[in-house]
Each structure stands twice: as C-alpha cells, then as structure tokens.
Amino acid sequence: MIEARHLRVLRAVAATGSFSAAARELGCTQPAVSQQMKALESSAGTPLLIRTGREMRLTQAGEVLVRHA
C-alpha cells in the first residue's frame, strides 16, 4: 500500500536530489528517508530512483508517481 508519508518523502527527494537534503527539508534523518523510499519502492513494485553516488534521479515510474503525489 502506498502511504501519503512515502509520497511526501518522494517529492522531497525529487525536489532536492538527495536523501540528505530531503531529510533536512523534512526535519528527519537520512536513514529515515532511505527507509521510507525503500518501503515505497517495495509497495510500487518497481525502482523509483536511480542512485548515482549521493545524488538521486527519478526513473520514469518515479516521475509518473511524483506527478500524482
């Protein structure tokens, strides 16, 4: 099940480009953001992010989901 809190984290990651920056924006820790994104990808059944070092880019599925978030 996709939860609203997961979508908020996805939007923050998409806007900032990293888990660390998203965590600062959301007022939580980087591991919490990582955990939420893993849960969302598991619920969606597909990767939503392309991880390149510390930066993140949305996959096509991630872009579709963030537009609807």
Side-chain angles (χ1 to χ4, degrees), residues 44-67:
T46 189
L48 302 172
L49 297 169
I50 298 169
R51 292 153 174 88
T52 54
R54 291 182 173 239
E55 291 191 9
M56 308 291 157
R57 290 183 301 125
L58 294 172
T59 63
Q60 187 174 9
E63 289 176 10
V64 169
L65 190 55
V66 85
R67 276 195 303 261

Side-chain angles (χ1 to χ4, degrees), residues 12 14 19 21 32 35-36 40 42-43 45 47 53 62-65 69:
F19 285 175
Q35 182 180 28
Q36 293 297 317
L40 178 57
S42 178
S43 294
E63 289 176 10
V64 169
L65 190 55

Side-chain angles (χ1 to χ4, degrees), residues 5-14 16-24 26-43 46-49 51 53-56:
R5 63 190 168 118
H6 295 151
L7 296 176
R8 281 191 297 274
V9 172
L10 176 63
R11 286 186 4 199
V13 171
T16 62
S18 76
F19 285 175
S20 296
R24 283 191 298 275
L26 295 167
C28 62
T29 64
Q30 180 274 330
V33 169
S34 179
Q35 182 180 28
Q36 293 297 317
M37 287 307 306
K38 284 182 184 183
L40 178 57
E41 287 180 322
S42 178
S43 294
T46 189
L48 302 172
L49 297 169
R51 292 153 174 88
R54 291 182 173 239
E55 291 191 9
M56 308 291 157

